[in-house]
């Protein structure tokens, strides 16, 4: 399997090269040349596989420059009952007949990003070791992605992480989770500013080609192809857990931000998994729901982006969306270049009078939106009715899932975080704080390791050069 760019101007590359680079050289996103089709008999054979065995069957379709035995070892090393606190890795919870929650948040940082990031950590270490290269990951976080990356990369050979976060702006839990890491390859840089300042510093440094090359600067953002691939696996796992035979269809409700999670579901669909609908749920930042209901894609500015009680879905632009439009436009790179000429200038595009829009409207994706009041209501109702406590993001997914589902099609809602991370909203919904999983009780009292800096990219640069 080789990889091409959605903008059509990159020579095909192999998997290992693609996972170590961010954007394609022509500014597009990398996608596989085609999607593998899974035959009925193969799908039948996958039904009872363990998570790591299923992961190997799926991921190996997308990788042809890593020997099978090595890939198997990387996967087995990643998906352990120890790391994910459950030997099923992504167990399913049934609320009532035909309504399920797929638990994706039992990894070290209690959010679904761990599933892909833990794989990426082991994969990076392997690829770097083989090529003798080093990687210094530079990122900005408002909480979730940064901690997931740090827990995946800590202690890995050849990798350092420099993570910028806004000083005093994360929750006590998030801060403690990141800053309590004592591993010498993890550097927390607390910036006296807001998240956008952190992101700007990362952009400035990433645009300095000379510095970037000299210090082997890379990223682990949501467009990383290996992250998408790893996420395909749990759509299959969840499907098998919710059905008795492969003649049945299911729908998935997906709390969405950068379109990474749901794009993995789109690939599962393209591979032949019997999915009826992928139900995309947004919060108050409804740029994607607006697109799927009007055909107008209108990226927002940082100022227009609202701070909500499902913060990991607070996006202004959905970075993986380009990959989906590329598929729906019959992989016409010229069309993507044309549309994204607007997006890259923060301008909207309108395809409502086109064949492309007709096709998208009739596709396997449907959408809806949720807000603070509704997510609090859903958390309360699900707790009262089923005795299950869900987090605010999952609540958005379930709210929209209930709105859009078809009566006779089982619904699987993806659980993207655990309630323990969002005690304020949980308290508002049910009147008491969520219980933390074992091992997380004393988190805020652990010693913290971080450096504090002003909004100054020069200072960050010299810190990186002193510590590499
Ligand atoms: C990242 C994240 C999302 C959004 O996922 P995308 O892949 O960006 O669409 C939803 N919920 C939680 C808790 C997250 O951390």
């Amino acid at each position: 399997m080789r990889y091409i760019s959605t903008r059509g101007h990159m020579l095909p590359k192999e998997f290992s090269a693609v996972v170590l680079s961010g954007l394609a050289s022509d500014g597009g996103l990398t996608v596989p040349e085609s999607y593998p089709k899974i035959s009925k008999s193969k799908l039948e054979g996958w039904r009872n596989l363990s998570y790591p065995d299923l992961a190997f069957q799926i991921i190996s379709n997308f990788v042809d420059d890593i020997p099978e035995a090595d890939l198997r070892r990387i996967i087995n090393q990643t998906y352990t009952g120890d790391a994910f606190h459950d030997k099923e890795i992504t167990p399913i919870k049934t609320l009532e007949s035909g309504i399920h929650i797929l638990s994706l948040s039992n990894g070290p940082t209690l959010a679904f990003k761990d599933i892909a990031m833990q794989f990426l950590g082991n994969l990076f270490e392997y690829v770097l070791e083989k090529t003798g290269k080093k990687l210094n990951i530079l990122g900005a976080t408002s909480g979730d992605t940064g901690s997931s990356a740090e827990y995946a990369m800590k202690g890995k050979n050849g990798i350092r992480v420099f993570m910028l976060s806004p000083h005093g702006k994360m929750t006590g839990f998030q801060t403690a989770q990141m800053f309590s890491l004592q591993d010498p390859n993890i550097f927390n840089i607390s910036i006296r500013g807001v998240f956008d300042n952190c992101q700007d510093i990362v952009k400035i440094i990433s645009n300095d080609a000379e510095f970037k090359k000299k210090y082997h600067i890379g990223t682990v953002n949501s467009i990383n192809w290996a992250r998408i691939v790893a996420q395909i696996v749990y759509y299959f796992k969840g499907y098998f857990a919710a059905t008795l035979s492969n003649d049945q269809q299911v729908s998935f409700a997906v709390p969405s931000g950068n379109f990474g999670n749901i794009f993995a579901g789109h690939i599962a669909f393209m591979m032949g998994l019997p999915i009826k609908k992928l139900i995309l749920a947004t919060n108050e930042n409804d740029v994607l729901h607006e697109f799927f209901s009007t055909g107008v894609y209108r990226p927002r500015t940082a100022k227009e982006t609202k701070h909500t009680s499902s913060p990991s879905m607070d996006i202004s632009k959905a970075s993986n969306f380009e990959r989906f439009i590329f598929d729906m436009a019959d992989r016409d790179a010229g069309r993507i270049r044309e549309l994204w000429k607007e997006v890259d200038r923060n301008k909207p595009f309108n395809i409502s009078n086109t064949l492309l829009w007709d096709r998208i409207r009739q596709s396997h994706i449907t959408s809806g939106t949720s807000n603070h009041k509704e997510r609090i209501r859903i958390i309360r109702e699900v707790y009262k009715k089923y005795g299950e406590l869900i987090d605010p993001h999952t609540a958005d997914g379930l709210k929209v899932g209930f709105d859009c589902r078809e009566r006779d099609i089982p619904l699987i809602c993806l659980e993207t975080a655990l309630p323990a991370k969002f005690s304020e909203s949980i308290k508002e919904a049910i009147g008491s704080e969520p219980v933390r999983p074992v091992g997380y009780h004393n988190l805020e009292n652990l010693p913290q390791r971080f450096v504090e800096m002003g909004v100054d990219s020069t200072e960050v640069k010299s810190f990186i050069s002193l510590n590499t």
Side-chain angles (χ1 to χ4, degrees):
M1 182 71 74
R2 292 189 312 168
Y3 289 84
I4 56 173
S5 165
T6 50
R7 308 222 182 151
H9 290 153
M10 179 186 86
L11 287 175
K13 280 190 178 177
E14 292 187 315
F15 178 80
S16 301
V18 159
V19 297
L20 282 181
S21 56
L23 283 178
S25 47
D26 60 0
L29 301 187
T30 50
V31 287
E33 275 183 323
S34 65
Y35 296 119
K37 287 274 181 282
I38 306 307
S39 68
K40 271 197 139 164
S41 63
K42 212 174 202 181
L43 195 64
E44 201 48 55
W46 287 2
R47 180 163 272 277
N48 296 311
L49 292 182
S50 69
Y51 195 97
D53 287 347
L54 181 62
F56 176 76
Q57 291 301 326
I58 292 169
I59 296 172
S60 58
N61 283 288
F62 295 92
V63 180
D64 56 7
D65 61 345
I66 296 177
E68 284 202 356
D70 292 356
L71 183 62
R72 210 177 257 283
R73 189 172 43 75
I74 294 168
I75 288 171
N76 288 343
Q77 181 189 349
T78 303
Y79 298 109
T80 66
D82 250 8
F84 289 90
H85 305 107
D86 192 307
K87 67 178 191 334
E88 288 290 310
I89 311 299
T90 61
I92 204 160
K93 293 183 274 203
T94 299
L95 298 184
E96 63 174 68
S97 173
I99 302 177
H100 313 274
I101 288 184
L102 187 62
S103 313
L104 304 179
S105 308
N106 298 325
T109 73
L110 314 183
F112 90 101
K113 292 199 172 65
D114 288 335
I115 294 194
M117 208 71 93
Q118 289 284 315
F119 172 65
L120 198 62
N122 291 324
L123 182 68
F124 272 1
E125 185 176 53
Y126 171 84
V127 174
L128 291 169
E129 222 155 67
K130 232 172 130 179
T131 53
K133 285 186 186 158
K134 300 244 174 286
L135 179 65
N136 292 310
I137 294 169
L138 174 66
T141 188
S142 53
D144 278 347
T145 314
S147 64
S148 186
E150 290 186 355
Y151 279 76
M153 306 298 161
K154 72 192 177 82
K156 297 278 186 265
N157 288 321
I159 305 176
R160 288 188 185 82
V161 178
F162 296 89
M163 192 57 68
L164 278 52
S165 59
H167 187 66
K169 300 281 192 308
M170 298 189 290
T171 66
F173 183 93
Q174 287 173 322
T175 309
Q177 207 170 32
M178 289 175 58
F179 292 8
S180 65
L181 287 178
Q182 301 297 331
D183 305 72
N185 72 328
I186 303 295
F187 300 91
N188 283 301
I189 304 176
S190 188
I191 298 287
R192 289 186 294 270
V194 294
F195 172 66
D196 287 326
N197 297 133
C198 300
Q199 216 166 19
D200 288 343
I201 295 174
V202 170
K203 267 186 211 153
I204 291 170
I205 298 179
S206 301
N207 285 335
D208 181 341
E210 198 180 318
F211 184 88
K212 205 175 155 187
K213 189 155 179 236
K214 181 165 178 200
Y215 293 102
H216 316 285
I217 302 292
T219 53
V220 288
N221 51 23
S222 67
I223 59 164
N224 184 285
W225 174 253
R227 285 180 61 183
I228 305 276
V229 165
Q231 291 173 173
I232 301 169
V233 179
Y234 52 71
Y235 283 89
F236 283 82
K237 187 82 177 138
Y239 171 79
F240 293 134
T243 57
L244 293 170
S245 111
N246 294 347
D247 297 328
Q248 286 173 271
Q249 284 188 311
V250 303
S251 290
F252 287 92
V254 188
S256 294
N258 275 318
F259 209 84
N261 199 355
I262 199 165
F263 186 71
H266 161 75
I267 298 174
F269 174 88
M270 300 296 273
M271 291 169 74
L273 189 68
I275 294 173
K276 181 80 193 279
K277 290 279 181 194
L278 292 166
I279 301 169
L280 181 148
T282 70
N283 65 13
E284 290 89 334
N285 296 293
D286 60 353
V287 44
L288 287 168
H289 173 57
E290 184 177 278
F291 171 77
F292 282 99
S293 36
T294 62
V296 178
Y297 181 57
R298 189 171 56 88
R300 316 286 155 87
T301 60
K303 273 212 185 69
E304 288 173 296
T305 308
K306 296 173 188 144
H307 290 279
T308 74
S309 49
S310 47
S312 300
M313 293 157 68
D314 293 347
I315 55 118
S316 47
K317 209 187 255 189
S319 43
N320 281 293
F321 184 55
E322 179 173 341
R323 287 184 162 125
F324 174 72
I325 298 295
F326 182 64
D327 280 346
M328 296 310 286
D330 269 340
R331 308 202 126 200
D332 176 354
R335 189 78 184 271
I336 297 300
R337 286 199 297 274
E338 206 178 284
L339 294 172
W340 259 264
K341 202 159 73 193
E342 303 305 318
V343 177
D344 288 342
R345 291 160 45 220
N346 281 317
K347 292 271 179 333
F349 66 68
N350 180 351
I351 56 165
S352 63
N353 288 320
T354 65
L355 283 174
L356 173 58
W357 173 238
D358 285 343
R359 187 179 303 168
I360 291 171
R361 226 171 22 171
Q362 289 157 29
S363 76
H364 47 289
I365 300 211
T366 178
S367 75
T369 182
S370 174
N371 59 38
H372 180 76
K373 219 173 127 194
E374 291 174 314
R375 80 180 61 96
I376 296 296
R377 174 177 61 81
I378 291 280
I379 293 171
R380 184 182 303 130
E381 284 178 7
V382 167
Y383 186 64
K384 275 199 180 146
K385 193 164 175 198
Y386 306 109
E388 283 291 341
L389 194 54
I390 57 173
D391 99 291
H393 306 80
T394 310
D396 286 339
L398 209 49
K399 189 266 167 190
V400 176
F402 284 140
D403 288 350
C404 298
R405 86 189 186 100
E406 295 155 83
R407 282 287 145 219
D408 48 343
I409 306 288
L411 176 72
I412 302 174
C413 178
L414 303 188
E415 176 186 62
T416 56
L418 289 194
K421 296 186 90 169
F422 302 96
S423 44
E424 225 174 281
S425 296
I426 299 303
K427 200 156 179 216
E428 184 179 343
I430 66 164
S432 58
E433 304 249 340
V435 179
R436 284 193 188 176
V438 183
Y440 293 80
H441 291 284
N442 197 36
L443 198 61
E444 283 93 333
N445 299 323
L446 298 174
Q448 301 196 345
R449 181 170 165 271
F450 65 98
V451 293
E452 201 182 311
M453 282 180 206
V455 181
D456 182 355
S457 61
T458 320
E459 204 179 338
V460 174
K461 274 186 183 170
S462 60
F463 182 81
I464 293 174
S465 65
L466 279 173
N467 287 288
T468 51

